[in-house]
PDB file of all heavy atoms in Angstrom:
ATOM      1  N   LEU R  62     -22.195  33.049  -9.234  1.00 93.00           N
ATOM      2  CA  LEU R  62     -23.648  32.927  -9.160  1.00 93.00           C
ATOM      3  C   LEU R  62     -24.074  31.465  -9.367  1.00 93.00           C
ATOM      4  O   LEU R  62     -24.910  30.950  -8.627  1.00 93.00           O
ATOM      5  CB  LEU R  62     -24.301  33.836 -10.201  1.00 93.00           C
ATOM      6  CG  LEU R  62     -25.807  33.944 -10.185  1.00 93.00           C
ATOM      7  CD1 LEU R  62     -26.314  34.425  -8.828  1.00 93.00           C
ATOM      8  CD2 LEU R  62     -26.266  34.898 -11.271  1.00 93.00           C
ATOM      9  N   ARG R  63     -23.484  30.807 -10.350  1.00 91.00           N
ATOM     10  CA  ARG R  63     -23.791  29.392 -10.580  1.00 91.00           C
ATOM     11  C   ARG R  63     -23.419  28.544  -9.369  1.00 91.00           C
ATOM     12  O   ARG R  63     -24.167  27.664  -8.958  1.00 91.00           O
ATOM     13  CB  ARG R  63     -23.062  28.866 -11.813  1.00 91.00           C
ATOM     14  CG  ARG R  63     -23.916  28.915 -13.060  1.00 91.00           C
ATOM     15  CD  ARG R  63     -23.175  28.371 -14.217  1.00 91.00           C
ATOM     16  NE  ARG R  63     -22.301  29.482 -14.597  1.00 91.00           N
ATOM     17  CZ  ARG R  63     -21.311  29.445 -15.449  1.00 91.00           C
ATOM     18  NH1 ARG R  63     -20.996  28.357 -16.033  1.00 91.00           N
ATOM     19  NH2 ARG R  63     -20.598  30.502 -15.729  1.00 91.00           N
ATOM     20  N   ASP R  64     -22.263  28.835  -8.790  1.00 92.00           N
ATOM     21  CA  ASP R  64     -21.814  28.097  -7.606  1.00 92.00           C
ATOM     22  C   ASP R  64     -22.758  28.306  -6.427  1.00 92.00           C
ATOM     23  O   ASP R  64     -22.996  27.390  -5.644  1.00 92.00           O
ATOM     24  CB  ASP R  64     -20.393  28.500  -7.208  1.00 92.00           C
ATOM     25  CG  ASP R  64     -19.346  27.978  -8.181  1.00 92.00           C
ATOM     26  OD1 ASP R  64     -19.674  27.117  -9.028  1.00 92.00           O
ATOM     27  OD2 ASP R  64     -18.188  28.451  -8.106  1.00 92.00           O
ATOM     28  N   LYS R  65     -23.280  29.506  -6.315  1.00 90.00           N
ATOM     29  CA  LYS R  65     -24.196  29.844  -5.225  1.00 90.00           C
ATOM     30  C   LYS R  65     -25.438  28.946  -5.245  1.00 90.00           C
ATOM     31  O   LYS R  65     -25.941  28.548  -4.203  1.00 90.00           O
ATOM     32  CB  LYS R  65     -24.595  31.316  -5.345  1.00 90.00           C
ATOM     33  CG  LYS R  65     -25.619  31.791  -4.345  1.00 90.00           C
ATOM     34  CD  LYS R  65     -25.923  33.270  -4.580  1.00 90.00           C
ATOM     35  CE  LYS R  65     -27.077  33.764  -3.744  1.00 90.00           C
ATOM     36  NZ  LYS R  65     -27.390  35.166  -4.024  1.00 90.00           N
ATOM     37  N   PHE R  66     -25.916  28.622  -6.443  1.00 87.00           N
ATOM     38  CA  PHE R  66     -27.138  27.840  -6.579  1.00 87.00           C
ATOM     39  C   PHE R  66     -26.881  26.374  -6.948  1.00 87.00           C
ATOM     40  O   PHE R  66     -27.828  25.622  -7.177  1.00 87.00           O
ATOM     41  CB  PHE R  66     -28.056  28.483  -7.632  1.00 87.00           C
ATOM     42  CG  PHE R  66     -28.651  29.781  -7.183  1.00 87.00           C
ATOM     43  CD1 PHE R  66     -28.068  30.989  -7.520  1.00 87.00           C
ATOM     44  CD2 PHE R  66     -29.792  29.794  -6.393  1.00 87.00           C
ATOM     45  CE1 PHE R  66     -28.615  32.189  -7.111  1.00 87.00           C
ATOM     46  CE2 PHE R  66     -30.354  30.987  -5.973  1.00 87.00           C
ATOM     47  CZ  PHE R  66     -29.764  32.189  -6.324  1.00 87.00           C
ATOM     48  N   LYS R  67     -25.622  25.988  -7.011  1.00 89.00           N
ATOM     49  CA  LYS R  67     -25.261  24.627  -7.404  1.00 89.00           C
ATOM     50  C   LYS R  67     -25.927  23.605  -6.485  1.00 89.00           C
ATOM     51  O   LYS R  67     -25.905  23.745  -5.274  1.00 89.00           O
ATOM     52  CB  LYS R  67     -23.748  24.460  -7.338  1.00 89.00           C
ATOM     53  CG  LYS R  67     -23.227  23.223  -7.999  1.00 89.00           C
ATOM     54  CD  LYS R  67     -21.726  23.177  -7.879  1.00 89.00           C
ATOM     55  CE  LYS R  67     -21.136  22.960  -9.247  1.00 89.00           C
ATOM     56  NZ  LYS R  67     -19.689  23.037  -9.247  1.00 89.00           N
ATOM     57  N   GLY R  68     -26.505  22.591  -7.103  1.00 85.00           N
ATOM     58  CA  GLY R  68     -27.096  21.499  -6.346  1.00 85.00           C
ATOM     59  C   GLY R  68     -28.500  21.750  -5.844  1.00 85.00           C
ATOM     60  O   GLY R  68     -29.095  20.875  -5.233  1.00 85.00           O
ATOM     61  N   SER R  69     -29.027  22.922  -6.107  1.00 81.00           N
ATOM     62  CA  SER R  69     -30.378  23.227  -5.639  1.00 81.00           C
ATOM     63  C   SER R  69     -31.399  22.742  -6.663  1.00 81.00           C
ATOM     64  O   SER R  69     -31.345  23.109  -7.830  1.00 81.00           O
ATOM     65  CB  SER R  69     -30.543  24.726  -5.424  1.00 81.00           C
ATOM     66  OG  SER R  69     -31.861  24.997  -5.007  1.00 81.00           O
ATOM     67  N   ASP R  70     -32.315  21.891  -6.211  1.00 83.00           N
ATOM     68  CA  ASP R  70     -33.385  21.393  -7.076  1.00 83.00           C
ATOM     69  C   ASP R  70     -34.707  22.098  -6.791  1.00 83.00           C
ATOM     70  O   ASP R  70     -35.737  21.758  -7.355  1.00 83.00           O
ATOM     71  CB  ASP R  70     -33.561  19.882  -6.881  1.00 83.00           C
ATOM     72  CG  ASP R  70     -32.380  19.097  -7.413  1.00 83.00           C
ATOM     73  OD1 ASP R  70     -31.683  19.610  -8.304  1.00 83.00           O
ATOM     74  OD2 ASP R  70     -32.143  17.972  -6.934  1.00 83.00           O
ATOM     75  N   ASP R  71     -34.663  23.070  -5.916  1.00 87.00           N
ATOM     76  CA  ASP R  71     -35.853  23.813  -5.520  1.00 87.00           C
ATOM     77  C   ASP R  71     -36.269  24.768  -6.647  1.00 87.00           C
ATOM     78  O   ASP R  71     -35.443  25.528  -7.165  1.00 87.00           O
ATOM     79  CB  ASP R  71     -35.554  24.586  -4.232  1.00 87.00           C
ATOM     80  CG  ASP R  71     -36.708  25.441  -3.773  1.00 87.00           C
ATOM     81  OD1 ASP R  71     -37.863  24.982  -3.881  1.00 87.00           O
ATOM     82  OD2 ASP R  71     -36.453  26.563  -3.307  1.00 87.00           O
ATOM     83  N   ALA R  72     -37.543  24.725  -7.033  1.00 88.00           N
ATOM     84  CA  ALA R  72     -38.039  25.576  -8.119  1.00 88.00           C
ATOM     85  C   ALA R  72     -37.871  27.053  -7.805  1.00 88.00           C
ATOM     86  O   ALA R  72     -37.508  27.847  -8.684  1.00 88.00           O
ATOM     87  CB  ALA R  72     -39.507  25.258  -8.404  1.00 88.00           C
ATOM     88  N   ALA R  74     -35.608  28.417  -5.942  1.00 89.00           N
ATOM     89  CA  ALA R  74     -34.186  28.747  -6.057  1.00 89.00           C
ATOM     90  C   ALA R  74     -33.783  28.902  -7.521  1.00 89.00           C
ATOM     91  O   ALA R  74     -32.983  29.774  -7.870  1.00 89.00           O
ATOM     92  CB  ALA R  74     -33.329  27.676  -5.382  1.00 89.00           C
ATOM     93  N   MET R  75     -34.352  28.064  -8.384  1.00 90.00           N
ATOM     94  CA  MET R  75     -34.047  28.159  -9.818  1.00 90.00           C
ATOM     95  C   MET R  75     -34.546  29.484 -10.388  1.00 90.00           C
ATOM     96  O   MET R  75     -33.861  30.124 -11.177  1.00 90.00           O
ATOM     97  CB  MET R  75     -34.649  26.980 -10.573  1.00 90.00           C
ATOM     98  CG  MET R  75     -33.951  25.681 -10.316  1.00 90.00           C
ATOM     99  SD  MET R  75     -34.757  24.364 -11.255  1.00 90.00           S
ATOM    100  CE  MET R  75     -34.069  22.932 -10.454  1.00 90.00           C
ATOM    101  N   GLN R  78     -32.265  32.177  -9.175  1.00 93.00           N
ATOM    102  CA  GLN R  78     -31.018  32.169  -9.944  1.00 93.00           C
ATOM    103  C   GLN R  78     -31.205  32.881 -11.277  1.00 93.00           C
ATOM    104  O   GLN R  78     -30.372  33.699 -11.667  1.00 93.00           O
ATOM    105  CB  GLN R  78     -30.531  30.740 -10.181  1.00 93.00           C
ATOM    106  CG  GLN R  78     -29.246  30.683 -10.982  1.00 93.00           C
ATOM    107  CD  GLN R  78     -28.741  29.271 -11.232  1.00 93.00           C
ATOM    108  OE1 GLN R  78     -29.318  28.307 -10.757  1.00 93.00           O
ATOM    109  NE2 GLN R  78     -27.664  29.162 -11.971  1.00 93.00           N
TER     110      GLN R  78
END
Side-chain angles (χ1 to χ4, degrees):
L62 186 58
R63 265 181 281 170
D64 288 348
K65 176 180 172 182
F66 290 96
K67 193 179 232 174
S69 178
D70 291 336
D71 177 39
M75 288 180 195
Q78 180 180 357

